[in-house]
């Protein structure tokens, strides 16, 4: 099943995707795809709620983030062997964790803004993991897999000067307004044959900048969810950005950063495509 939210920012309605470009509104049965929804376990009821209803075309309707603003966005750094190499850093022995402000989340095709005084805005296509139930001290990776509601595409936008040169925790360069486009859909795990074999790409204009696969992840989604639950409590509807494959702007020689007027197109096989105009 593919879940999406349609409508203007702050007024999105929950829906189920049918085919590639039609949807069934489920807003009369479900308030939103938020913490309460995932905690209720009602995701299993969506198929029967949608059954027998007539799909409508998405057309020009705005697509929001497939989940309401989460309780937290957690991010894993340097989680692809080939990306660690391009940044000149070692593959980590344990996941590198940093946080991103939850109010950065927005729709997959909304404009992204160059922050004030930013000079090194960069892109990162990533597999996003959405948590389906409260997780604390999970026993093993099987329990972790059971706690994953689904997967989505994320652009973990970054300001490299603020993240790295200005020192301290990475969050400072990750939390500017509009910095976490998510979607277009939340795809439930049963729709994916193998989450560790998904092709990923990101284009800036007509130039392919990132080409990768979840097969080169260092730590799998199940490992990450189990691991994080040993340190903190994951809440239903939380989002985890699981790291980016090679080809980010700061890794190019010379480095390349984003500017107003450019267009980003990014996607993951089976999870859909995002398209953002850079404004600033
Ligand atoms: Zn990232």
């Amino acid at each position: 099943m593919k879940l999406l939210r349609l409508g203007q920012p702050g007024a999105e309605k929950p829906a189920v995707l049918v085919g590639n470009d039609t949807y069934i509104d489920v807003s009369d049965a479900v308030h939103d795809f938020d913490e309460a929804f995932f905690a209720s376990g009602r995701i299993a009821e969506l198929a029967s709620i949608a059954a027998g209803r007539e799909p409508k075309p998405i057309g020009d309707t705005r697509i929001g983030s497939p989940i309401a603003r989460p309780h937290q966005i957690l991010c894993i750094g340097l989680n692809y062997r080939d990306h660690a190499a391009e940044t000149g850093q070692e593959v980590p022995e344990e996941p590198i964790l940093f946080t991103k402000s939850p109010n950065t989340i927005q729709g997959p095709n909304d404009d992204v803004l160059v922050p004030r005084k930013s000079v090194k805005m960069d892109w990162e296509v990533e597999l996003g993991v959405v948590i389906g139930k409260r997780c604390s001290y999970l026993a093993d990776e099987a329990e972790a897999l059971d706690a994953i509601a689904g997967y989505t595409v994320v652009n973990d936008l970054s300001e490299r000067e603020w993240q790295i040169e200005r020192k301290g925790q990475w969050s400072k360069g990750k939390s500017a307004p509009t910095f976490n486009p998510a979607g277009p859909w939340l795809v439930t795990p049963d729709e994916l044959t193998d989450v560790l074999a998904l092709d990923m790409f990101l284009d800036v204009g007509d130039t392919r900048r990132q080409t990768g696969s979840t097969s080169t992840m260092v730590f799998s989604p199940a490992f990450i969810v189990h691991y994080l639950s040993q340190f903190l409590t994951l809440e239903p509807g939380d989002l985890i950005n699981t790291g980016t494959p090679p080809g980010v702007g700061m890794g190019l020689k010379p480095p390349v950063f984003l500017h107003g007027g450019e267009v980003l197109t990014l996607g993951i096989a089976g999870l859909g495509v995002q398209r953002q105009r850079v404004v600033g």
Side-chain angles (χ1 to χ4, degrees):
M1 180 153 305
K2 296 186 173 80
L3 285 58
L4 71 163
R5 293 166 71 251
L6 292 165
Q8 291 307 301
E12 295 95 339
K13 291 184 171 181
V16 172
L17 186 74
V18 178
N20 294 318
D21 51 13
T22 62
Y23 71 98
I24 291 173
D25 188 321
V26 295
S27 61
D28 60 329
V30 170
H31 175 66
D32 202 355
F33 297 143
D34 56 8
E35 182 174 345
F37 167 76
F38 290 108
S40 74
R42 295 191 67 209
I43 194 166
E45 291 175 30
L46 284 179
S48 59
I49 292 170
R53 299 190 185 190
E54 193 64 30
K56 298 176 195 162
I58 295 174
D60 292 333
T61 309
R62 172 182 174 269
I63 301 175
S65 160
I67 55 170
R69 185 188 293 184
H71 159 260
Q72 57 190 343
I73 301 176
L74 301 173
C75 307
I76 306 300
L78 302 176
N79 195 31
Y80 284 74
R81 296 176 195 288
D82 27 13
H83 172 58
E86 77 175 340
T87 64
Q89 301 188 68
E90 298 289 318
V91 171
E93 291 179 12
E94 291 191 49
I96 293 173
L97 174 66
F98 61 96
T99 61
K100 186 160 188 168
S101 178
N103 66 5
T104 57
I105 198 166
Q106 67 169 10
N109 306 317
D110 295 342
D111 290 348
V112 295
L113 307 178
V114 180
R116 291 185 190 177
K117 302 183 181 176
S118 162
V119 290
K120 295 185 177 178
M121 180 176 170
D122 203 348
W123 55 83
E124 294 189 346
V125 60
E126 303 199 7
L127 175 71
V129 172
V130 175
I131 296 299
K133 57 178 75 167
R134 180 174 266 206
C135 302
S136 181
Y137 303 116
L138 294 173
D140 52 31
E141 291 188 26
E143 275 194 5
L145 273 180
D146 193 45
I148 293 174
Y151 301 94
T152 192
V153 181
V154 168
N155 189 359
D156 181 20
L157 289 162
S158 307
E159 214 298 337
R160 302 302 187 191
E161 185 199 18
W162 302 354
Q163 178 194 350
I164 298 167
E165 297 165 39
R166 301 281 289 274
K167 307 295 182 186
Q169 225 257 8
W170 289 2
S171 303
K172 194 166 56 184
K174 296 282 190 171
S175 293
T178 76
F179 259 29
N180 207 74
W185 344 115
L186 172 64
V187 179
T188 53
D190 57 291
E191 296 240 351
L192 300 172
T193 311
D194 184 359
V195 74
L196 294 177
L198 304 178
D199 290 334
M200 320 165 75
F201 78 94
L202 183 144
D203 293 343
V204 181
D206 295 331
T207 305
R208 176 65 40 102
R209 290 300 190 184
Q210 289 192 273
T211 304
S213 166
T214 55
S215 63
T216 66
M217 289 180 100
V218 179
F219 303 109
S220 71
F223 183 98
I224 290 166
V225 170
H226 170 259
Y227 178 88
L228 292 176
S229 79
Q230 310 307 309
F231 301 95
L232 51 85
T233 302
L234 296 164
E235 299 288 357
D238 278 358
L239 177 64
I240 304 170
N241 296 345
T242 58
T244 199
V248 298
M250 74 170 169
L252 298 171
K253 295 188 176 38
V256 173
F257 298 107
L258 291 169
H259 300 95
E262 292 178 316
V263 174
L264 293 162
T265 311
L266 56 145
I268 300 179
L271 301 183
V273 172
Q274 305 184 347
R275 184 178 171 85
Q276 296 126 24
R277 201 162 54 104
V278 181
V279 175

